[in-house]
Amino acid sequence: FIRARSRYSAMDSNCNSTAANQVNPHIQFTLELPDDDSLPFLDTLTSYDRQSRKFFTSLYTKPIHSGHVLPFVSHVPEQRKESTVFTEFNRALQVSSTTESKLKSSTSIRKKFRSNGYPTPVIDEAERRAMYQNNTNITRTENKKKVIYMKVPFVDARTYTEFRRIVSRSGLPIRLVTKTQQPLKFLLRKPNKM
């Protein structure tokens, strides 16, 4: 990305690239002019802020990108699917120079993988790992309800189901956790024969 003031017009620059392309038919040059003080290069959009006189970078996705990635229902190892999500987040965090661009990139990646069938926990874990690796923290402003976990004794399945139905109708963010009178390891252990 070269920002230079020139007294020559874009037409003169185009003539220069045409002349350069005639030197060797195997090497071709193209010219792309900045649009709104931004210029994409590979997966990075470099922008220039005239007020602060600084350059900023963010993740760039071509407008013709279909949004398709490896579908979650495909028959490939889970590790490959997880690493695909992680790699996207990692690249976005490394390329983006501001918190705002990191959040915007992260949101678009989440949307892309959700539309391809990826479960939210897989996406969350990949984003968490990428943020940890890049020593970054993105604060989301999504309205997440705080969940209250309520421990209740397990009597029988019918009672538990009825109690869960009542809690669900209340609309409160409560999740039930059952507790047996004895730990499961004692209930599932085979009796000793002597």
Side-chain angles (χ1 to χ4, degrees):
F1 183 71
I2 300 172
R3 180 169 170 74
R5 293 179 190 222
S6 174
R7 59 190 166 147
Y8 302 107
S9 67
M11 188 173 180
D12 292 333
S13 300
N14 200 15
C15 291
N16 289 336
S17 66
T18 304
N21 285 336
Q22 293 174 353
V23 173
N24 187 332
H26 299 289
I27 300 173
Q28 296 296 304
F29 295 92
T30 60
L31 174 70
E32 189 166 345
L33 298 173
D35 180 30
D36 194 29
D37 287 331
S38 298
L39 187 66
F41 179 70
L42 299 177
D43 63 350
T44 306
L45 180 68
T46 305
S47 305
Y48 180 72
D49 183 20
R50 291 178 186 263
Q51 287 182 325
S52 65
R53 302 181 101 174
K54 291 183 181 180
F55 286 97
F56 299 100
T57 58
S58 61
L59 184 67
Y60 176 72
T61 307
K62 291 183 178 183
I64 61 169
H65 179 59
S66 65
H68 292 296
V69 293
L70 177 70
F72 192 75
V73 295
S74 62
H75 296 287
V76 296
E78 291 290 319
Q79 186 177 5
R80 177 147 181 224
K81 297 172 193 175
E82 292 166 1
S83 67
T84 302
V85 184
F86 168 76
T87 304
E88 286 277 329
F89 279 118
N90 194 36
R91 184 169 54 100
L93 293 173
Q94 289 178 351
V95 166
S96 302
S97 62
T98 64
T99 305
E100 181 184 337
S101 63
K102 289 177 184 182
L103 182 60
K104 183 178 177 186
S105 300
S106 176
T107 303
S108 69
I109 291 169
R110 287 178 153 283
K111 183 178 178 184
K112 176 172 44 174
F113 280 98
R114 278 190 195 134
S115 69
N116 283 279
Y118 283 73
T120 303
V122 171
I123 298 169
D124 289 344
E125 177 61 19
E127 183 181 34
R128 187 196 62 75
R129 283 181 41 225
M131 286 191 301
Y132 177 78
Q133 182 170 326
N134 289 284
N135 201 15
T136 304
N137 190 14
I138 299 173
T139 306
R140 297 196 171 280
T141 56
E142 296 173 357
N143 292 332
K144 290 189 176 181
K145 290 183 179 178
K146 192 168 188 172
V147 177
I148 300 166
Y149 292 91
M150 180 184 287
K151 191 185 290 186
V152 294
F154 183 80
V155 178
D156 59 30
R158 188 171 149 202
T159 307
Y160 172 73
T161 305
E162 185 61 32
F163 192 61
R164 193 177 74 198
R165 188 178 300 128
I166 293 167
V167 170
S168 176
R169 282 189 206 145
S170 73
L172 297 172
I174 297 174
R175 293 187 76 181
L176 297 177
V177 179
T178 59
K179 178 184 175 192
T180 57
Q181 296 205 357
Q182 289 183 341
L184 283 176
K185 69 179 184 179
F186 293 120
L187 295 174
L188 299 175
R189 186 182 294 169
K190 290 182 180 180
N192 290 335
K193 292 183 180 179
M194 291 193 184

